[in-house]
Amino acid sequence: MATVMATDLHDTFGRNHSYLRISITEHCNLRCTYCMPADGIDLTPKAHLMTTDEILQIATTFVGLGVDKIRLTGGEPLVRKDAREIILRLGELGTQLTMTTNGLLVHQFIETFKQAKIKTINVSLDTLVKKKYQQITRRDSFDTVLENIDLLLAEGFRVKINVVLMQGFNRDEIVDFIGLTENKNVQIRFIEFMPFSGNAWDRSKLVTYSEIVNEAAAAFPNQIERITDAPNDTAKNFKIVGYEGSFAIISSVTNPFCSTCNRIRLTADGKLKNCLFSDSETSLLDALRSGQSILPLIQQNLLAKKAVRNGMDNDLKFQDPDAFSKNRSMIAIGG
């Protein structure tokens, strides 16, 4: 095997990691059932979380190594008190900056997004039915989310709507979500329900890629156009002929995209995860605060990355609950 330099973001399978996802908080103003356990999580003490300067220092290091896209996540990133400063300072790094949000506070940040040159915003919205929204989020904020999606579109942002599909909850809304793209230039992103600590996952709740495709094909016969996926895209993209927007499917469970993965994740407490499903983490923050170089740690973390879903390379392994018991809940990872 060829020697890989410490300033190289390739792993042992030749994947180059040019996309950094940074969780800036574990806090959220929703309590989505697939993301957070019903009784919440033990939050990391503030002293152990990255400060604004530390976020910028680590991000700057990654940009120097070739990262050209940064996504801010949470929890809900916009609830952090210094979110505006973080966004503006990261916007100066010259990368493609974006974020995933639940949409509740978007109206307070429109000018900040513009100043930071953010072009695309992902909004999480799992149902178009107000009563079900309250059920899944344990909050009554449905109208605010819809209003802020329309505001983003009116202000010229590209909007992607993340929809985690679950049997018995929103399986019957696939066609309704696709219908939303008729007159709105949004991309609906159907996401297979994934297992994490505390989210009560089991395969019976899964709505698969093939089910989504079949449902769409039945509702829109001979009208579905396959769109060319972008390099390293996690989604398979489609469009209804004549519709303004599009839809996509992220099939992490039934059809993982690991062979082209270019993502690496930094948690709010400064730990590096080389895979969403990995229970192994490398603390960059501890090294940074002790004055050590974080470059060797980044390299070690990437070289330990496995070919497929942290070694869960078949369905039997993926359904083993022990495989997820040591991982964090989704809200503490940042998605």
Side-chain angles (χ1 to χ4, degrees), residues 104-142:
L104 299 192
L105 300 176
V106 157
H107 57 286
Q108 300 177 18
F109 287 85
I110 293 295
E111 293 307 314
T112 300
F113 296 159
K114 291 179 179 178
Q115 291 176 43
K117 297 181 174 61
I118 291 177
K119 306 295 184 186
T120 302
I121 300 286
N122 286 37
V123 179
S124 298
L125 178 64
D126 298 310
T127 179
L128 296 174
V129 180
K130 187 171 184 176
K131 185 176 180 180
K132 288 203 289 188
Y133 178 89
Q134 289 181 263
Q135 177 186 340
I136 196 73
T137 66
R138 307 183 181 108
R139 296 293 185 272
D140 182 14
S141 309
F142 180 73

Side-chain angles (χ1 to χ4, degrees), residues 32-315:
C32 298
T33 57
Y34 61 83
C35 180
M36 180 186 286
D39 55 354
I41 63 171
D42 293 327
L43 296 172
T44 303
K46 184 177 179 180
H48 298 291
L49 299 176
M50 295 183 291
T51 65
T52 300
D53 286 341
E54 288 165 342
I55 290 171
L56 265 292
Q57 190 172 347
I58 294 174
T60 300
T61 299
F62 273 99
V63 171
L65 296 174
V67 162
D68 57 16
K69 180 177 180 179
I70 294 176
R71 176 178 299 278
L72 297 182
T73 66
E76 167 50 44
L78 297 181
V79 302
R80 180 162 165 155
K81 292 181 179 180
D82 54 354
R84 186 167 278 104
E85 179 185 359
I86 293 170
I87 293 167
L88 291 174
R89 290 179 65 183
L90 286 175
E92 297 174 354
L93 295 182
T95 68
Q96 177 187 346
L97 181 63
T98 184
M99 75 163 44
T100 298
T101 172
N102 60 33
L104 299 192
L105 300 176
V106 157
H107 57 286
Q108 300 177 18
F109 287 85
I110 293 295
E111 293 307 314
T112 300
F113 296 159
K114 291 179 179 178
Q115 291 176 43
K117 297 181 174 61
I118 291 177
K119 306 295 184 186
T120 302
I121 300 286
N122 286 37
V123 179
S124 298
L125 178 64
D126 298 310
T127 179
L128 296 174
V129 180
K130 187 171 184 176
K131 185 176 180 180
K132 288 203 289 188
Y133 178 89
Q134 289 181 263
Q135 177 186 340
I136 196 73
T137 66
R138 307 183 181 108
R139 296 293 185 272
D140 182 14
S141 309
F142 180 73
D143 293 335
T144 300
V145 179
L146 293 187
E147 290 167 3
N148 280 338
I149 288 173
D150 286 339
L151 176 62
L152 286 168
L153 291 171
E155 293 290 340
F157 293 92
R158 185 183 180 204
V159 178
K160 299 180 180 182
I161 300 178
N162 291 346
V163 185
V164 177
L165 288 175
M166 287 167 278
Q167 298 284 0
F169 176 69
N170 57 359
R171 166 71 173 76
D172 59 344
E173 295 189 62
I174 293 172
V175 174
D176 292 335
F177 270 108
I178 295 175
L180 200 65
T181 70
E182 182 175 6
N183 300 308
K184 291 181 185 289
N185 189 19
V186 296
Q187 182 192 68
I188 303 298
R189 291 158 59 87
F190 295 118
I191 302 171
E192 290 183 341
F193 183 36
M194 293 177 282
F196 291 95
S197 177
N199 75 346
W201 183 91
D202 70 67
R203 195 174 181 85
S204 68
K205 298 178 183 179
L206 181 67
V207 182
T208 67
Y209 171 87
S210 60
E211 288 180 86
I212 301 167
V213 169
N214 291 339
E215 180 94 3
F220 304 96
N222 303 314
Q223 300 174 65
I224 299 177
E225 176 185 350
R226 182 74 163 90
I227 304 173
T228 302
D229 303 329
N232 306 111
D233 204 340
T234 60
K236 295 173 179 63
N237 296 272
F238 304 85
K239 183 179 180 67
I240 305 301
V241 175
Y243 279 27
E244 193 171 349
S246 62
F247 70 97
I249 305 170
I250 300 175
S251 51
S252 302
V253 178
T254 63
N255 191 12
F257 38 81
C258 303
S259 63
T260 59
C261 181
N262 68 335
R263 293 151 182 77
I264 193 163
R265 292 167 169 81
L266 184 66
T267 62
D269 55 349
K271 293 184 171 62
L272 199 63
K273 290 178 72 76
N274 60 29
C275 176
L276 182 62
F277 298 110
S278 176
D279 58 6
S280 176
E281 303 174 349
T282 302
S283 179
L284 301 187
L285 185 57
D286 288 344
L288 189 70
R289 289 181 175 178
S290 64
Q292 302 174 41
S293 171
I294 64 174
L295 291 174
L297 296 177
I298 294 171
Q299 183 63 10
Q300 291 166 18
N301 185 280
L302 281 176
L303 292 179
K305 185 168 183 171
K306 297 179 180 177
V308 178
R309 292 184 310 204
N310 194 41
M312 292 177 284
D313 52 6
N314 61 52
D315 195 55

